[in-house]
């Protein structure tokens, strides 16, 4: 204990710097956990806490036995897995390609263009996607011009296409931004390794395989663990804006379900129960992924 106090005194400047962030985390991340009590009540906003009706696991039982919620859970997991796989593969691939560019001006142009969609709001991005995929959109024109299809397809009107459209939209919007941390990891690799490999006659693909990818491994593992922790967080804006009555069977995820059947209907207890479920599942996935990574000798978050 004395050693701990002594260390705190020696690092008091750092502790003071982190204090505002710790306060922020407590106020906005931990203090609201008190609101989880609504999941076990038939919460009425006008009543004081002492007069709320406690109903136990009623709302959780409803969620787990409701056929619609089970379909929503399927959509959430499918969308998350698609986004996770496509996001990792495309971001790592683009980072490798950008790193291989030797013309610095062209390299900066490519990076800038790939980053730009990230700064668009999903309202604008969804409008662009809807326009491109409309009956008279460019996708139908190209496919008909190549004789791949013989009549226009209302892409957002067919639910079976929604997961693919969502995955492609997420990649287009975020792939450039996601490459930043991989490019930073690549820049930390000792350049002498590349020079030695060139002298030994290694090809470009061999240098990527045996130097670049192993140098990125630790960053990839950490980001993968963190993203697995968010596997139940498929997002909200894209699904809400691109979803409609024709594709709702495939577009509605947990967040959209909470809005439609929880908050919009003033059923705050149901919405809270769904939020508690998401948090618990995310924590389980995070701990499992971290434990598995450590057992495989790849390190972990803690």
């Amino acid at each position: 204990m004395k050693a701990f106090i002594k260390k705190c005194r020696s690092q008091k400047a750092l502790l003071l710097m982190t204090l505002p962030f710790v306060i922020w985390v407590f106020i906005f991340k931990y203090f609201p956990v008190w609101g989880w009590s609504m999941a076990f009540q038939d919460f009425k906003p006008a009543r004081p806490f002492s007069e709320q009706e406690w109903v136990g696991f009623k709302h959780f039982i409803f969620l787990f036995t409701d056929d619609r919620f089970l379909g929503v859970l399927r959509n959430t997991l499918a969308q998350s897995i698609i986004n996770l796989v496509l996001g990792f593969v495309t971001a790592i691939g683009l980072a490798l390609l950008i790193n291989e560019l030797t013309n610095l001006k062209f390299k900066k142009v490519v990076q800038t263009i790939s980053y730009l969609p990230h700064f668009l709001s999903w309202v604008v991005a969804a409008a662009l996607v809807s326009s491109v995929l409309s009956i008279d959109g460019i996708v139908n024109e190209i496919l008909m011009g190549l004789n791949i299809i013989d009549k226009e397809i209302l892409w957002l009107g067919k639910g079976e296409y929604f997961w693919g459209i969502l995955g492609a939209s997420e990649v287009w919007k975020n792939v450039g931004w996601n490459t930043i941390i991989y490019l930073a990891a690549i820049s930390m690799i000792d350049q002498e390794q590349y020079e030695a490999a060139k002298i030994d006659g290694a090809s470009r693909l061999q240098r990527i395989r045996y130097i670049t990818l192993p140098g990125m491994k630790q960053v990839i593992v950490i980001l993968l663990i963190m993203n697995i922790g968010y596997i139940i967080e498929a997002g909200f804006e894209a699904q809400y804006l691109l979803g409609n009555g024709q594709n709702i069977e495939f577009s509605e995820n947990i967040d959209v379900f909470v809005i439609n059947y929880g908050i919009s209907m003033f059923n705050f207890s149901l919405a809270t129960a769904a939020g508690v479920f998401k948090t618990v599942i995310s924590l389980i996935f995070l701990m499992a992924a971290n434990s598995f990574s450590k057992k495989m000798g790849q390190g972990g978050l803690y």
Side-chain angles (χ1 to χ4, degrees):
M1 188 64 182
K2 290 182 179 179
F4 175 75
I5 295 173
K6 184 178 180 180
K7 192 171 184 178
C8 288
R9 286 177 178 173
S10 65
Q11 298 183 358
K12 59 183 178 181
L14 292 175
L15 292 175
L16 289 173
M17 288 174 61
T18 59
L19 185 60
F21 177 73
V22 172
I23 294 173
W24 180 88
V25 169
F26 177 78
I27 293 175
F28 293 101
K29 299 296 183 180
Y30 289 98
F31 185 72
V33 172
W34 169 255
W36 280 13
S37 59
M38 286 194 297
F40 306 96
Q41 304 169 342
D42 270 335
F43 180 78
K44 305 297 181 185
R47 294 181 185 173
F49 181 79
S50 58
E51 297 180 12
Q52 297 293 340
E53 181 184 355
W54 294 86
V55 294
F57 291 94
K58 169 186 171 182
H59 300 293
F60 292 96
I61 293 172
F62 170 79
L63 287 177
F64 300 144
T65 56
D66 182 62
D67 291 337
R68 181 151 199 163
F69 182 77
L70 296 178
V72 165
L73 182 59
R74 177 208 63 175
N75 293 341
T76 303
L77 291 173
Q79 292 168 12
S80 294
I81 293 171
I82 290 171
N83 291 340
L84 178 66
V85 174
L86 289 180
F88 263 86
V89 172
T90 56
I92 294 171
L94 181 59
L96 293 174
L97 292 174
I98 290 176
N99 183 62
E100 293 300 314
L101 295 176
T102 55
N103 188 316
L104 293 180
K105 289 185 178 179
F106 181 65
K107 186 176 183 178
K108 290 180 180 179
V109 170
V110 172
Q111 285 181 280
T112 302
I113 292 174
S114 66
Y115 296 162
L116 287 177
H118 176 77
F119 298 99
L120 295 175
S121 73
W122 262 114
V123 175
V124 176
L128 290 173
V129 172
S130 299
S131 176
V132 167
L133 297 176
S134 63
I135 286 290
D136 56 351
I138 189 172
V139 171
N140 278 321
E141 290 186 9
I142 292 174
L143 294 178
M144 290 188 67
L146 296 174
N147 294 320
I148 297 176
I149 59 175
D150 55 5
K151 65 177 182 179
E152 296 90 348
I153 298 175
L154 183 60
W155 296 97
L156 289 175
K158 294 184 177 293
E160 58 268 26
Y161 296 142
F162 186 83
W163 294 348
I165 292 171
L166 178 67
S169 302
E170 289 280 359
V171 168
W172 163 71
K173 191 173 187 301
N174 296 313
V175 64
W177 184 258
N178 292 339
T179 61
I180 293 176
I181 193 165
Y182 297 116
L183 289 172
I186 292 173
S187 68
M188 298 299 292
I189 300 173
D190 187 358
Q191 296 301 308
E192 291 183 359
Q193 296 184 47
Y194 291 103
E195 308 225 345
K198 285 182 183 179
I199 294 172
D200 290 339
S203 66
R204 180 170 290 186
L205 288 177
Q206 288 174 324
R207 294 197 297 272
I208 292 174
R209 179 180 177 183
Y210 294 108
I211 299 175
T212 308
L213 286 174
M216 299 167 61
K217 183 174 68 173
Q218 190 61 36
V219 172
I220 293 173
V221 169
I222 291 174
L223 289 178
L224 182 60
I225 293 171
M226 294 176 66
N227 279 274
I228 288 176
Y230 286 97
I231 199 71
I232 206 75
E233 298 278 354
F236 166 74
E237 292 175 301
Q239 290 84 345
Y240 189 76
L241 294 168
L242 294 175
N244 54 56
Q246 294 175 298
N247 63 32
I248 192 170
E249 186 179 348
F250 291 85
S251 64
E252 188 178 35
N253 63 3
I254 292 178
D255 291 329
V256 177
F257 177 86
V258 166
I259 289 291
N260 291 337
Y261 299 96
I263 297 175
S264 295
M265 295 184 177
F266 301 100
N267 192 346
F268 301 111
S269 295
L270 180 65
T272 305
V276 172
F277 169 74
K278 284 173 55 181
T279 302
V280 172
I281 295 299
S282 296
L283 182 61
I284 292 172
F285 272 110
L286 178 63
M287 295 178 68
N290 188 76
S291 177
F292 179 76
S293 177
K294 292 174 73 173
K295 286 183 179 179
M296 296 297 292
Q298 301 299 324
L301 294 175
Y302 56 89

